[in-house]
C-alpha cells in the first residue's frame, strides 16, 4: 500500500507517519518510484506499536525510540530488554528524586525481602520505589504505606502471568516485542480495572448512610 | 515565608510557582506589601500535591486543575470526586477509540460479571477497557487477554485497601484529597512493584538454560 493507504489502515495521519519515518521510528518503505514507496503489514504493525506505547502508555518518543531500538537489536538478551522497557516508569519517578532527601529505602527493602525480590537489586527500581514512598508519606497516604504488602502481592501475581505469557512466544522477536507491549499496556489495564473496582465499591459506600456526616 | 522560601521548601522553581499562581492551581498568598506575599504550610502541601499528580502521575495541568477544583468544591460527593479522578487514566485511553471499530466489550462485560462490578456500569470505564483490550488484541497480547482474571483480581485487592484507607480519614477534605493522590500515585506504585517482580523473575529465567536457543 502507499502512504495514504497506510494512514487509512492505521488511523495515523500522513504527517505523523512522515515524522516517524524521519525520526527512524518507522522503517522506510520499499521505493517504487522517486516519489513513492510501498508499505506493508509490518508497517501497520509497527505503527500500532508506536501508538500503543505513546498514546496509551504515555511514553515520550525518545523512550519509544529506545524501546524500538531494543526490539530491533538481535544481540540483546531478554533481561536487558526488560531493563530498558522497565525504565519507562521508574525513570519518570527517579527524576523527581532530590539529592540529600531522606528516602524510605527501609520500606522498600522490607517489601523486597518479604517478596523474595532482594536478589534482583536493581538500583534504579529501588530508588524509584523509595522516592515514590517518600512522596506518599509527604502527602500523608499513611494507609497506602501500611498496605504495601497488598500492592506487592498484586504486582507479583500480575508479573507471574506476564512471565508465563512471555515464555509462550515461539520466536525471540515476538517475545521481545511483547515484553514492551505487555509491560506498558498492562499498567494501563491494572489502572483501568482498579478504577472499575473502586467505582463499584464507592457506589456501594454511597448507597449506605455515611458515618456522622463526614462525607456530605 | 516569602516566595523564595516557598521555592526552597518545595524545590519548585519560582517561575513555576508564579505560573501555578496565575493558572489558579495554587491559591494566592497573604499580601503583606504591594510586591510581597506570605505563603504557609498549606502552599507547601498544595505544591507537593501538584507535583505528585503531574510529575509522578503524568497528568496534564488541565487534569490537575480539574482534580484540584473537585478537592476544593465542598458540594461534591465522594463518588463524584472519584469519577473526576478516575478519568485521569480512562480518558487517555478513550481518546484512542476510533468510531466504528470493533471493540472487545464482550471481554470487559465478562470481567465485570465475574468480579461483581456490573452494577457500576460506568460507560467511560467500560469503553476504556474495551479499547485497551482491542489494542492488546491487535498487538497480539493473547496471553494477557487470557489472563484478565488475574489482572482483575489484583486490581480488586488493591481497590479494597484503597477504599478501606479512604474511610479512615477523619475529615472530608483529607478524604477527598487522598482519593486523588492514592489513585494516581497508587498506579505508579503497582507499576514499580510489578517491574521489581518482573526483574526478579527475569533474572531467574536468565540464569537457567534457555529452551532451544530461542532467546540468545
Amino acid at each position: 500500500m502507499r502512504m495514504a493507504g497506510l494512514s487509512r489502515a492505521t488511523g495515523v495521519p500522513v504527517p505523523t507517519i512522515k515524522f516517524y519515518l524521519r525520526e527512524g521510528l518507522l522503517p522506510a518503505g520499499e521505493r517504487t518510484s522517486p516519489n513513492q514507496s510501498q508499505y506493508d503489514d509490518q508497517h501497520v504493525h509497527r505503527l500500532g506499536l508506536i501508538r500503543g506505547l505513546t498514546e496509551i502508555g504515555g511514553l515520550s518518543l525518545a523512550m519509544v525510540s529506545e524501546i524500538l531500538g531494543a526490539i530491533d537489536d538481535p544481540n540483546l538478551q531478554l533481561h536487558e530488554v526488560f531493563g530498558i522497557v522497565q525504565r519507562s516508569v521508574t525513570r519518570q519517578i527517579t527524576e523527581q528524586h532530590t539529592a540529600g532527601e531522606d528516602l524510605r529505602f527501609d520500606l522498600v527493602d522490607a517489601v523486597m525481602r518479604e517478596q523474595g525480590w532482594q536478589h534482583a537489586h536493581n538500583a534504579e527500581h529501588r530508588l524509584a520505589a523509595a522516592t515514590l514512598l517518600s512522596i506518599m508519606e509527604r502527602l500523608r497516604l499513611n494507609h497506602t504505606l501500611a498496605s504495601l504488602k497488598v500492592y506487592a502481592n498484586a504486582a507479583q501475581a500480575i508479573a507471574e502471568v506476564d512471565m508465563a505469557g512471555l515464555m509462550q512466544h515461539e520466536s525471540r522477536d515476538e517475545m521481545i516485542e511483547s515484553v514492551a507491549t505487555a509491560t506498558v499496556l498492562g499498567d494501563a489495564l491494572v489502572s483501568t480495572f482498579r478504577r472499575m473496582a473502586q467505582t463499584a465499591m464507592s457506589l456501594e459506600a454511597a448507597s449506605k448512610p455515611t458515618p456522622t456526616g463526614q462525607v456530605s
Side-chain angles (χ1 to χ4, degrees), chain A:
Chain A
M1 69 194 90
R2 299 203 198 148
M3 192 179 285
L6 181 62
S7 172
R8 271 193 306 275
T10 57
V12 180
V14 167
T16 308
I17 295 178
K18 286 185 175 166
F19 173 75
Y20 291 156
L21 285 167
R22 270 201 311 277
E23 296 288 315
L25 296 176
L26 190 68
E30 194 191 339
R31 191 159 291 242
T32 50
S33 81
N35 294 315
Q36 270 182 7
S37 295
Q38 284 288 320
Y39 301 92
D40 59 22
D41 284 350
Q42 281 191 299
H43 293 91
V44 172
H45 182 75
R46 177 57 63 108
L47 280 174
L49 184 59
I50 296 171
R51 297 199 88 186
L53 296 176
T54 54
E55 294 171 357
I56 304 295
L59 300 194
S60 67
L61 280 183
M63 194 68 231
V64 172
S65 166
E66 207 173 314
I67 290 176
L68 294 177
I71 290 176
D72 293 341
D73 182 346
N75 296 317
L76 282 187
Q77 297 215 14
L78 188 61
H79 71 96
E80 293 172 307
V81 180
F82 249 119
I84 291 166
V85 171
Q86 286 167 337
R87 260 181 269 143
S88 59
V89 159
T90 51
R91 185 189 293 169
Q92 205 172 328
I93 299 171
T94 53
E95 277 170 2
Q96 306 314 316
H97 164 64
T98 313
E101 244 181 322
D102 261 342
L103 298 183
R104 296 305 304 268
F105 285 112
D106 57 324
L107 292 176
V108 180
D109 290 342
V111 168
M112 291 185 79
R113 258 195 317 275
E114 266 198 54
Q115 301 292 331
W117 299 339
Q118 74 275 41
H119 63 285
H121 46 99
N122 176 306
E124 186 169 340
H125 293 178
R126 185 170 168 267
L127 175 60
T131 304
L132 190 51
L133 296 178
S134 304
I135 292 170
M136 289 182 154
E137 189 172 46
R138 229 159 34 230
L139 293 173
R140 299 191 291 255
L141 288 174
N142 302 326
H143 188 82
T144 306
L145 294 175
S147 311
L148 296 183
K149 202 174 164 40
V150 175
Y151 276 81
N153 283 342
Q156 171 85 28
I158 294 167
E160 274 165 21
V161 295
D162 292 342
M163 291 303 294
L166 208 58
M167 295 306 159
Q168 289 188 351
H169 287 290
E170 291 186 359
S171 76
R172 178 194 174 280
D173 283 3
E174 270 181 38
M175 199 184 270
I176 295 281
E177 186 184 302
S178 88
V179 169
T181 51
T183 299
V184 173
L185 299 180
D187 284 346
L189 187 63
V190 184
S191 301
T192 303
F193 280 171
R194 183 174 170 230
R195 279 152 183 67
M196 294 174 107
Q198 285 179 339
T199 301
M201 284 184 246
S202 129
L203 274 180
E204 266 168 52
S207 68
K208 288 177 197 157
T210 55
T212 62
Q214 282 159 358
V215 179
S216 62

